[in-house]
mmCIF file of all heavy atoms in Angstrom:
data_model
loop_
_atom_site.group_PDB
_atom_site.id
_atom_site.type_symbol
_atom_site.label_atom_id
_atom_site.label_comp_id
_atom_site.label_asym_id
_atom_site.label_seq_id
_atom_site.Cartn_x
_atom_site.Cartn_y
_atom_site.Cartn_z
ATOM 1 N N SER O 294 -2.297 -14.159 0.980
ATOM 2 C CA SER O 294 -2.375 -15.453 1.802
ATOM 3 C C SER O 294 -2.649 -15.061 3.265
ATOM 4 O O SER O 294 -2.182 -14.045 3.683
ATOM 5 C CB SER O 294 -0.958 -16.151 1.693
ATOM 6 O OG SER O 294 -0.998 -17.263 2.665
ATOM 7 N N TYR O 295 -3.469 -15.887 3.794
ATOM 8 C CA TYR O 295 -3.739 -15.600 5.244
ATOM 9 C C TYR O 295 -3.160 -16.666 6.189
ATOM 10 O O TYR O 295 -3.478 -16.756 7.336
ATOM 11 C CB TYR O 295 -5.377 -15.613 5.392
ATOM 12 C CG TYR O 295 -5.923 -14.407 4.555
ATOM 13 C CD1 TYR O 295 -6.365 -14.568 3.313
ATOM 14 C CD2 TYR O 295 -5.841 -13.142 5.036
ATOM 15 C CE1 TYR O 295 -6.939 -13.583 2.533
ATOM 16 C CE2 TYR O 295 -6.264 -12.080 4.235
ATOM 17 C CZ TYR O 295 -6.913 -12.335 3.028
ATOM 18 O OH TYR O 295 -7.334 -11.297 2.259
ATOM 19 N N ARG O 296 -2.256 -17.436 5.632
ATOM 20 C CA ARG O 296 -1.448 -18.371 6.397
ATOM 21 C C ARG O 296 -0.035 -17.743 6.683
ATOM 22 O O ARG O 296 0.237 -16.733 6.010
ATOM 23 C CB ARG O 296 -1.185 -19.654 5.567
ATOM 24 C CG ARG O 296 -2.353 -20.454 5.256
ATOM 25 C CD ARG O 296 -1.947 -21.710 4.651
ATOM 26 N NE ARG O 296 -2.933 -21.926 3.489
ATOM 27 C CZ ARG O 296 -2.837 -22.920 2.700
ATOM 28 N NH1 ARG O 296 -1.916 -23.670 2.777
ATOM 29 N NH2 ARG O 296 -3.783 -22.956 1.672
ATOM 30 N N PRO O 297 0.616 -18.281 7.681
ATOM 31 C CA PRO O 297 1.980 -17.494 8.004
ATOM 32 C C PRO O 297 2.803 -17.457 6.780
ATOM 33 O O PRO O 297 3.435 -16.411 6.514
ATOM 34 C CB PRO O 297 2.474 -18.402 9.115
ATOM 35 C CG PRO O 297 1.225 -18.990 9.630
ATOM 36 C CD PRO O 297 0.303 -19.252 8.665
ATOM 37 N N GLU O 298 3.006 -18.566 6.052
ATOM 38 C CA GLU O 298 3.720 -18.521 4.828
ATOM 39 C C GLU O 298 3.097 -17.705 3.647
ATOM 40 O O GLU O 298 1.859 -18.098 3.370
ATOM 41 C CB GLU O 298 4.087 -19.942 4.418
ATOM 42 C CG GLU O 298 4.974 -19.901 3.218
ATOM 43 C CD GLU O 298 5.390 -21.397 2.783
ATOM 44 O OE1 GLU O 298 5.701 -22.263 3.627
ATOM 45 O OE2 GLU O 298 5.315 -21.664 1.634
ATOM 46 N N GLY O 299 3.668 -16.695 3.180
ATOM 47 C CA GLY O 299 3.085 -15.889 2.117
ATOM 48 C C GLY O 299 2.257 -14.775 2.691
ATOM 49 O O GLY O 299 1.702 -14.078 1.920
ATOM 50 N N SER O 300 2.161 -14.706 4.049
ATOM 51 C CA SER O 300 1.429 -13.489 4.582
ATOM 52 C C SER O 300 2.124 -12.215 4.351
ATOM 53 O O SER O 300 3.323 -12.088 3.872
ATOM 54 C CB SER O 300 1.249 -13.820 6.102
ATOM 55 O OG SER O 300 2.461 -13.702 6.751
ATOM 56 N N ARG O 301 1.486 -11.095 4.610
ATOM 57 C CA ARG O 301 2.106 -9.833 4.596
ATOM 58 C C ARG O 301 3.489 -9.707 5.309
ATOM 59 O O ARG O 301 4.391 -9.313 4.808
ATOM 60 C CB ARG O 301 1.179 -8.697 5.050
ATOM 61 C CG ARG O 301 0.031 -8.359 4.020
ATOM 62 C CD ARG O 301 -0.955 -7.299 4.751
ATOM 63 N NE ARG O 301 -1.827 -6.820 3.696
ATOM 64 C CZ ARG O 301 -1.676 -5.707 3.071
ATOM 65 N NH1 ARG O 301 -0.712 -4.883 3.393
ATOM 66 N NH2 ARG O 301 -2.497 -5.357 2.175
ATOM 67 N N ALA O 302 3.334 -10.183 6.528
ATOM 68 C CA ALA O 302 4.499 -10.090 7.465
ATOM 69 C C ALA O 302 5.646 -11.089 6.848
ATOM 70 O O ALA O 302 6.835 -10.612 6.835
ATOM 71 C CB ALA O 302 4.189 -10.589 8.832
ATOM 72 N N ASP O 303 5.236 -12.185 6.390
ATOM 73 C CA ASP O 303 6.270 -13.136 5.746
ATOM 74 C C ASP O 303 6.806 -12.500 4.505
ATOM 75 O O ASP O 303 8.144 -12.459 4.355
ATOM 76 C CB ASP O 303 5.585 -14.352 5.345
ATOM 77 C CG ASP O 303 6.627 -15.401 4.844
ATOM 78 O OD1 ASP O 303 7.747 -15.564 5.345
ATOM 79 O OD2 ASP O 303 6.266 -15.902 3.691
ATOM 80 N N LEU O 304 6.060 -11.905 3.548
ATOM 81 C CA LEU O 304 6.602 -11.330 2.388
ATOM 82 C C LEU O 304 7.571 -10.105 2.718
ATOM 83 O O LEU O 304 8.588 -9.948 2.080
ATOM 84 C CB LEU O 304 5.441 -10.733 1.502
ATOM 85 C CG LEU O 304 4.626 -11.899 0.822
ATOM 86 C CD1 LEU O 304 3.344 -11.332 0.194
ATOM 87 C CD2 LEU O 304 5.436 -12.685 -0.239
ATOM 88 N N MET O 305 7.245 -9.407 3.789
ATOM 89 C CA MET O 305 8.073 -8.244 4.064
ATOM 90 C C MET O 305 9.458 -8.715 4.669
ATOM 91 O O MET O 305 10.409 -7.884 4.842
ATOM 92 C CB MET O 305 7.271 -7.311 5.074
ATOM 93 C CG MET O 305 6.227 -6.614 4.397
ATOM 94 S SD MET O 305 6.664 -5.637 2.989
ATOM 95 C CE MET O 305 7.693 -4.355 3.626
ATOM 96 N N THR O 306 9.523 -9.919 4.998
ATOM 97 C CA THR O 306 10.906 -10.430 5.458
ATOM 98 C C THR O 306 11.878 -10.766 4.262
ATOM 99 O O THR O 306 13.018 -11.036 4.446
ATOM 100 C CB THR O 306 10.773 -11.686 6.363
ATOM 101 O OG1 THR O 306 10.333 -12.787 5.533
ATOM 102 C CG2 THR O 306 9.913 -11.456 7.606
ATOM 103 N N GLN O 307 11.248 -10.834 3.097
ATOM 104 C CA GLN O 307 11.989 -11.298 1.933
ATOM 105 C C GLN O 307 12.587 -9.987 1.278
ATOM 106 O O GLN O 307 11.816 -9.090 0.861
ATOM 107 C CB GLN O 307 11.065 -12.036 0.952
ATOM 108 C CG GLN O 307 10.471 -13.257 1.544
ATOM 109 C CD GLN O 307 9.463 -13.881 0.633
ATOM 110 O OE1 GLN O 307 9.382 -13.642 -0.415
ATOM 111 N NE2 GLN O 307 8.476 -14.672 1.403
ATOM 112 N N GLU O 308 13.907 -9.968 1.079
ATOM 113 C CA GLU O 308 14.514 -8.820 0.440
ATOM 114 C C GLU O 308 14.031 -8.429 -0.839
ATOM 115 O O GLU O 308 13.806 -7.320 -1.076
ATOM 116 C CB GLU O 308 16.060 -9.093 0.385
ATOM 117 C CG GLU O 308 16.915 -7.968 -0.192
ATOM 118 C CD GLU O 308 16.695 -6.546 0.605
ATOM 119 O OE1 GLU O 308 16.566 -6.562 1.810
ATOM 120 O OE2 GLU O 308 16.572 -5.530 -0.089
ATOM 121 N N LYS O 309 13.879 -9.415 -1.689
ATOM 122 C CA LYS O 309 13.233 -9.148 -3.043
ATOM 123 C C LYS O 309 11.881 -8.469 -2.949
ATOM 124 O O LYS O 309 11.645 -7.416 -3.691
ATOM 125 C CB LYS O 309 13.056 -10.476 -3.918
ATOM 126 C CG LYS O 309 12.568 -10.265 -5.245
ATOM 127 C CD LYS O 309 12.406 -11.496 -5.974
ATOM 128 C CE LYS O 309 11.665 -11.288 -7.312
ATOM 129 N NZ LYS O 309 11.385 -12.636 -8.005
ATOM 130 N N PHE O 310 11.098 -8.961 -2.139
ATOM 131 C CA PHE O 310 9.706 -8.349 -1.849
ATOM 132 C C PHE O 310 9.763 -6.877 -1.321
ATOM 133 O O PHE O 310 9.101 -6.045 -1.793
ATOM 134 C CB PHE O 310 8.731 -9.207 -1.123
ATOM 135 C CG PHE O 310 7.311 -8.788 -1.133
ATOM 136 C CD1 PHE O 310 6.492 -9.232 -2.210
ATOM 137 C CD2 PHE O 310 6.811 -7.854 -0.189
ATOM 138 C CE1 PHE O 310 5.235 -8.665 -2.270
ATOM 139 C CE2 PHE O 310 5.496 -7.239 -0.365
ATOM 140 C CZ PHE O 310 4.717 -7.737 -1.381
ATOM 141 N N ARG O 311 10.550 -6.747 -0.297
ATOM 142 C CA ARG O 311 10.730 -5.450 0.319
ATOM 143 C C ARG O 311 11.189 -4.440 -0.769
ATOM 144 O O ARG O 311 10.775 -3.248 -0.776
ATOM 145 C CB ARG O 311 11.718 -5.463 1.499
ATOM 146 C CG ARG O 311 11.120 -5.872 2.807
ATOM 147 C CD ARG O 311 12.028 -5.562 4.010
ATOM 148 N NE ARG O 311 13.452 -5.875 3.835
ATOM 149 C CZ ARG O 311 14.014 -6.956 4.089
ATOM 150 N NH1 ARG O 311 13.308 -8.002 4.506
ATOM 151 N NH2 ARG O 311 15.252 -7.082 3.906
ATOM 152 N N SER O 312 12.175 -4.799 -1.544
ATOM 153 C CA SER O 312 12.662 -3.873 -2.603
ATOM 154 C C SER O 312 11.516 -3.632 -3.606
ATOM 155 O O SER O 312 11.454 -2.453 -3.892
ATOM 156 C CB SER O 312 13.864 -4.467 -3.347
ATOM 157 O OG SER O 312 14.834 -4.722 -2.474
ATOM 158 N N ALA O 313 10.800 -4.552 -3.899
ATOM 159 C CA ALA O 313 9.699 -4.344 -4.846
ATOM 160 C C ALA O 313 8.668 -3.419 -4.189
ATOM 161 O O ALA O 313 8.085 -2.549 -4.924
ATOM 162 C CB ALA O 313 8.982 -5.733 -5.268
ATOM 163 N N PHE O 314 8.313 -3.557 -2.942
ATOM 164 C CA PHE O 314 7.414 -2.760 -2.235
ATOM 165 C C PHE O 314 7.925 -1.227 -2.192
ATOM 166 O O PHE O 314 7.159 -0.378 -2.473
ATOM 167 C CB PHE O 314 7.279 -3.225 -0.852
ATOM 168 C CG PHE O 314 6.335 -2.413 0.141
ATOM 169 C CD1 PHE O 314 5.010 -2.246 -0.323
ATOM 170 C CD2 PHE O 314 6.820 -1.833 1.186
ATOM 171 C CE1 PHE O 314 4.206 -1.498 0.579
ATOM 172 C CE2 PHE O 314 6.029 -1.035 2.041
ATOM 173 C CZ PHE O 314 4.685 -0.876 1.721
ATOM 174 N N GLU O 315 9.212 -1.086 -1.950
ATOM 175 C CA GLU O 315 9.740 0.226 -1.933
ATOM 176 C C GLU O 315 9.679 0.897 -3.282
ATOM 177 O O GLU O 315 9.368 1.998 -3.542
ATOM 178 C CB GLU O 315 11.148 0.288 -1.423
ATOM 179 C CG GLU O 315 11.346 -0.022 0.116
ATOM 180 C CD GLU O 315 10.413 0.744 0.919
ATOM 181 O OE1 GLU O 315 10.407 1.957 0.785
ATOM 182 O OE2 GLU O 315 9.832 0.143 1.984
ATOM 183 N N ALA O 316 10.001 0.049 -4.355
ATOM 184 C CA ALA O 316 9.897 0.529 -5.720
ATOM 185 C C ALA O 316 8.487 0.933 -6.195
ATOM 186 O O ALA O 316 8.260 1.901 -6.838
ATOM 187 C CB ALA O 316 10.377 -0.495 -6.631
ATOM 188 N N GLN O 317 7.512 0.267 -5.621
ATOM 189 C CA GLN O 317 6.086 0.521 -5.968
ATOM 190 C C GLN O 317 5.694 1.818 -5.203
ATOM 191 O O GLN O 317 4.877 2.572 -5.754
ATOM 192 C CB GLN O 317 5.194 -0.626 -5.691
ATOM 193 C CG GLN O 317 5.484 -1.858 -6.524
ATOM 194 C CD GLN O 317 5.397 -1.598 -7.940
ATOM 195 O OE1 GLN O 317 4.573 -0.767 -8.521
ATOM 196 N NE2 GLN O 317 6.386 -2.163 -8.748
ATOM 197 N N LYS O 318 6.111 2.009 -4.083
ATOM 198 C CA LYS O 318 5.741 3.252 -3.382
ATOM 199 C C LYS O 318 6.379 4.478 -4.143
ATOM 200 O O LYS O 318 5.667 5.529 -4.365
ATOM 201 C CB LYS O 318 6.328 3.344 -1.990
ATOM 202 C CG LYS O 318 5.522 2.474 -1.053
ATOM 203 C CD LYS O 318 5.694 2.631 0.519
ATOM 204 C CE LYS O 318 7.063 2.315 0.856
ATOM 205 N NZ LYS O 318 7.414 2.486 2.212
ATOM 206 N N ALA O 319 7.686 4.302 -4.709
ATOM 207 C CA ALA O 319 8.237 5.297 -5.431
ATOM 208 C C ALA O 319 7.458 5.512 -6.764
ATOM 209 O O ALA O 319 7.262 6.767 -7.220
ATOM 210 C CB ALA O 319 9.617 4.910 -5.811
ATOM 211 N N ARG O 320 6.939 4.383 -7.385
ATOM 212 C CA ARG O 320 6.063 4.514 -8.509
ATOM 213 C C ARG O 320 4.879 5.292 -8.319
ATOM 214 O O ARG O 320 4.396 6.029 -9.071
ATOM 215 C CB ARG O 320 5.740 3.164 -9.053
ATOM 216 C CG ARG O 320 4.883 3.017 -10.134
ATOM 217 C CD ARG O 320 4.528 1.540 -10.586
ATOM 218 N NE ARG O 320 3.609 1.476 -11.580
ATOM 219 C CZ ARG O 320 2.953 0.276 -11.886
ATOM 220 N NH1 ARG O 320 3.250 -0.788 -11.136
ATOM 221 N NH2 ARG O 320 2.004 0.224 -12.789
ATOM 222 N N LEU O 321 4.229 5.042 -7.050
ATOM 223 C CA LEU O 321 2.959 5.753 -6.760
ATOM 224 C C LEU O 321 3.323 7.266 -6.631
ATOM 225 O O LEU O 321 2.435 8.158 -7.022
ATOM 226 C CB LEU O 321 2.466 5.321 -5.464
ATOM 227 C CG LEU O 321 1.727 3.923 -5.531
ATOM 228 C CD1 LEU O 321 1.281 3.551 -4.170
ATOM 229 C CD2 LEU O 321 0.591 3.945 -6.535
ATOM 230 N N ARG O 322 4.442 7.608 -6.232
ATOM 231 C CA ARG O 322 4.763 9.100 -5.951
ATOM 232 C C ARG O 322 4.818 9.737 -7.359
ATOM 233 O O ARG O 322 4.723 11.014 -7.392
ATOM 234 C CB ARG O 322 6.087 9.265 -5.197
ATOM 235 C CG ARG O 322 5.972 8.807 -3.682
ATOM 236 C CD ARG O 322 7.168 9.209 -2.846
ATOM 237 N NE ARG O 322 8.395 8.424 -3.198
ATOM 238 C CZ ARG O 322 8.662 7.305 -2.579
ATOM 239 N NH1 ARG O 322 7.842 6.712 -1.652
ATOM 240 N NH2 ARG O 322 9.838 6.628 -2.927
ATOM 241 N N GLU O 323 5.086 9.014 -8.469
ATOM 242 C CA GLU O 323 5.235 9.674 -9.708
ATOM 243 C C GLU O 323 3.810 9.644 -10.526
ATOM 244 O O GLU O 323 3.720 10.204 -11.596
ATOM 245 C CB GLU O 323 6.245 8.923 -10.574
ATOM 246 C CG GLU O 323 7.665 9.146 -9.991
ATOM 247 C CD GLU O 323 8.064 10.490 -9.796
ATOM 248 O OE1 GLU O 323 7.751 11.278 -10.763
ATOM 249 O OE2 GLU O 323 8.559 10.937 -8.754
ATOM 250 N N MET O 324 2.875 9.059 -9.992
ATOM 251 C CA MET O 324 1.523 8.934 -10.671
ATOM 252 C C MET O 324 0.851 10.291 -10.526
ATOM 253 O O MET O 324 1.075 11.050 -9.657
ATOM 254 C CB MET O 324 0.664 7.872 -10.072
ATOM 255 C CG MET O 324 1.088 6.517 -10.387
ATOM 256 S SD MET O 324 0.059 5.264 -9.734
ATOM 257 C CE MET O 324 0.851 3.755 -10.136
ATOM 258 N N ASP O 325 -0.137 10.476 -11.526
ATOM 259 C CA ASP O 325 -1.014 11.678 -11.475
ATOM 260 C C ASP O 325 -2.122 11.359 -10.484
ATOM 261 O O ASP O 325 -2.577 10.288 -10.249
ATOM 262 C CB ASP O 325 -1.604 11.940 -12.789
ATOM 263 C CG ASP O 325 -0.629 12.509 -13.787
ATOM 264 O OD1 ASP O 325 0.316 13.112 -13.280
ATOM 265 O OD2 ASP O 325 -0.803 12.200 -14.975
ATOM 266 N N ILE O 326 -2.434 12.347 -9.629
ATOM 267 C CA ILE O 326 -3.334 12.326 -8.644
ATOM 268 C C ILE O 326 -4.508 13.280 -8.979
ATOM 269 O O ILE O 326 -4.225 14.563 -9.242
ATOM 270 C CB ILE O 326 -2.808 12.573 -7.268
ATOM 271 C CG1 ILE O 326 -1.732 11.607 -6.852
ATOM 272 C CG2 ILE O 326 -3.907 12.606 -6.166
ATOM 273 C CD1 ILE O 326 -0.897 12.100 -5.683
ATOM 274 N N ARG O 327 -5.801 12.965 -8.849
ATOM 275 C CA ARG O 327 -6.858 13.812 -8.984
ATOM 276 C C ARG O 327 -7.781 13.583 -7.836
ATOM 277 O O ARG O 327 -7.927 12.449 -7.362
ATOM 278 C CB ARG O 327 -7.637 13.544 -10.305
ATOM 279 C CG ARG O 327 -7.029 13.881 -11.588
ATOM 280 C CD ARG O 327 -7.741 13.579 -12.803
ATOM 281 N NE ARG O 327 -7.114 13.990 -13.992
ATOM 282 C CZ ARG O 327 -6.203 13.345 -14.633
ATOM 283 N NH1 ARG O 327 -5.775 12.181 -14.178
ATOM 284 N NH2 ARG O 327 -5.654 13.792 -15.768
ATOM 285 N N VAL O 328 -8.422 14.597 -7.308
ATOM 286 C CA VAL O 328 -9.358 14.448 -6.188
ATOM 287 C C VAL O 328 -10.645 15.203 -6.500
ATOM 288 O O VAL O 328 -10.637 16.215 -7.205
ATOM 289 C CB VAL O 328 -8.702 15.010 -4.939
ATOM 290 C CG1 VAL O 328 -7.462 14.136 -4.591
ATOM 291 C CG2 VAL O 328 -8.261 16.424 -5.079
ATOM 292 N N VAL O 329 -11.698 14.831 -5.800
ATOM 293 C CA VAL O 329 -12.974 15.434 -5.851
ATOM 294 C C VAL O 329 -13.603 15.381 -4.449
ATOM 295 O O VAL O 329 -13.567 14.304 -3.912
ATOM 296 C CB VAL O 329 -13.932 15.068 -6.989
ATOM 297 C CG1 VAL O 329 -14.376 13.660 -6.722
ATOM 298 C CG2 VAL O 329 -14.981 16.016 -7.198
ATOM 299 N N GLU O 330 -14.182 16.400 -3.988
ATOM 300 C CA GLU O 330 -14.855 16.399 -2.728
ATOM 301 C C GLU O 330 -16.116 15.569 -2.737
ATOM 302 O O GLU O 330 -16.839 15.754 -3.582
ATOM 303 C CB GLU O 330 -15.108 17.756 -2.177
ATOM 304 C CG GLU O 330 -15.667 17.809 -0.735
ATOM 305 C CD GLU O 330 -15.901 19.223 -0.281
ATOM 306 O OE1 GLU O 330 -16.242 20.101 -1.128
ATOM 307 O OE2 GLU O 330 -15.501 19.575 0.941
ATOM 308 N N GLU O 331 -16.326 14.725 -1.700
ATOM 309 C CA GLU O 331 -17.640 14.149 -1.373
ATOM 310 C C GLU O 331 -17.697 13.871 0.122
ATOM 311 O O GLU O 331 -16.794 12.948 0.540
ATOM 312 C CB GLU O 331 -17.840 12.860 -2.228
ATOM 313 C CG GLU O 331 -19.119 12.249 -1.914
ATOM 314 C CD GLU O 331 -20.358 13.143 -1.997
ATOM 315 O OE1 GLU O 331 -20.776 13.560 -3.123
ATOM 316 O OE2 GLU O 331 -20.976 13.515 -0.950
ATOM 317 N N VAL O 332 -18.463 14.599 0.830
ATOM 318 C CA VAL O 332 -18.418 14.498 2.328
ATOM 319 C C VAL O 332 -19.300 13.456 2.854
ATOM 320 O O VAL O 332 -19.089 12.785 3.890
ATOM 321 C CB VAL O 332 -18.733 15.869 3.007
ATOM 322 C CG1 VAL O 332 -17.739 16.805 2.695
ATOM 323 C CG2 VAL O 332 -20.184 16.375 2.607
ATOM 324 N N ASP O 333 -20.338 13.074 2.095
ATOM 325 C CA ASP O 333 -21.265 12.028 2.569
ATOM 326 C C ASP O 333 -20.707 10.619 2.285
ATOM 327 O O ASP O 333 -20.367 10.331 1.202
ATOM 328 C CB ASP O 333 -22.610 12.173 1.775
ATOM 329 C CG ASP O 333 -23.654 11.200 2.197
ATOM 330 O OD1 ASP O 333 -23.716 10.048 1.655
ATOM 331 O OD2 ASP O 333 -24.437 11.508 3.120
ATOM 332 N N PRO O 334 -20.681 9.817 3.429
ATOM 333 C CA PRO O 334 -20.039 8.542 3.227
ATOM 334 C C PRO O 334 -20.770 7.502 2.235
ATOM 335 O O PRO O 334 -20.199 6.763 1.547
ATOM 336 C CB PRO O 334 -19.930 7.856 4.642
ATOM 337 C CG PRO O 334 -20.857 8.773 5.403
ATOM 338 C CD PRO O 334 -21.076 10.160 4.769
ATOM 339 N N ASN O 335 -22.100 7.681 2.168
ATOM 340 C CA ASN O 335 -22.719 6.857 1.199
ATOM 341 C C ASN O 335 -22.585 7.280 -0.239
ATOM 342 O O ASN O 335 -22.281 6.349 -1.096
ATOM 343 C CB ASN O 335 -24.221 6.913 1.473
ATOM 344 C CG ASN O 335 -24.726 6.274 2.809
ATOM 345 O OD1 ASN O 335 -24.110 5.137 3.140
ATOM 346 N ND2 ASN O 335 -25.678 6.809 3.463
ATOM 347 N N ARG O 336 -22.497 8.559 -0.461
ATOM 348 C CA ARG O 336 -22.138 9.103 -1.853
ATOM 349 C C ARG O 336 -20.714 8.748 -2.122
ATOM 350 O O ARG O 336 -20.344 8.443 -3.299
ATOM 351 C CB ARG O 336 -22.307 10.539 -1.863
ATOM 352 C CG ARG O 336 -23.894 11.037 -2.009
ATOM 353 C CD ARG O 336 -23.971 12.359 -2.358
ATOM 354 N NE ARG O 336 -25.379 12.669 -2.579
ATOM 355 C CZ ARG O 336 -26.102 13.459 -1.794
ATOM 356 N NH1 ARG O 336 -25.642 14.048 -0.837
ATOM 357 N NH2 ARG O 336 -27.372 13.654 -2.091
ATOM 358 N N GLN O 337 -19.762 8.794 -1.172
ATOM 359 C CA GLN O 337 -18.341 8.419 -1.296
ATOM 360 C C GLN O 337 -18.277 7.022 -1.917
ATOM 361 O O GLN O 337 -17.672 6.644 -2.928
ATOM 362 C CB GLN O 337 -17.546 8.392 -0.028
ATOM 363 C CG GLN O 337 -16.954 9.797 0.145
ATOM 364 C CD GLN O 337 -16.031 9.668 1.461
ATOM 365 O OE1 GLN O 337 -15.566 8.526 1.868
ATOM 366 N NE2 GLN O 337 -15.757 10.870 2.039
ATOM 367 N N ALA O 338 -18.989 6.091 -1.150
ATOM 368 C CA ALA O 338 -18.923 4.668 -1.579
ATOM 369 C C ALA O 338 -19.503 4.444 -2.937
ATOM 370 O O ALA O 338 -18.896 3.768 -3.841
ATOM 371 C CB ALA O 338 -19.823 3.888 -0.607
ATOM 372 N N LEU O 339 -20.693 5.064 -3.308
ATOM 373 C CA LEU O 339 -21.303 4.986 -4.532
ATOM 374 C C LEU O 339 -20.364 5.549 -5.608
ATOM 375 O O LEU O 339 -20.172 5.039 -6.725
ATOM 376 C CB LEU O 339 -22.662 5.592 -4.635
ATOM 377 C CG LEU O 339 -23.659 4.810 -3.813
ATOM 378 C CD1 LEU O 339 -24.927 5.817 -3.680
ATOM 379 C CD2 LEU O 339 -23.993 3.599 -4.375
#
């Protein structure tokens, strides 16, 4: 949402949402990560 109600800032004022956000960051920390080098920005995008 790009209106004040439901915006990022508004969602972060809600305890339920803040808790979910923290839980999702914790979830990401447990995911498998793989990386490959690509220095050229055009090739990166493609």
Side-chain angles (χ1 to χ4, degrees):
S294 173
Y295 298 98
R296 293 186 228 178
E298 184 178 313
S300 68
R301 284 177 169 259
D303 179 52
L304 290 171
M305 291 304 292
T306 66
Q307 301 170 23
E308 179 58 36
K309 178 182 174 187
F310 190 87
R311 273 196 321 273
S312 294
F314 177 63
E315 294 304 322
Q317 295 307 319
K318 287 192 296 181
R320 178 181 172 194
L321 290 176
R322 289 192 289 273
E323 296 304 316
M324 289 184 184
D325 287 333
I326 302 168
R327 290 178 177 81
V328 298
V329 68
E330 183 175 43
E331 181 50 71
V332 297
D333 182 272
N335 291 322
R336 284 191 175 115
Q337 270 185 20
L339 291 169

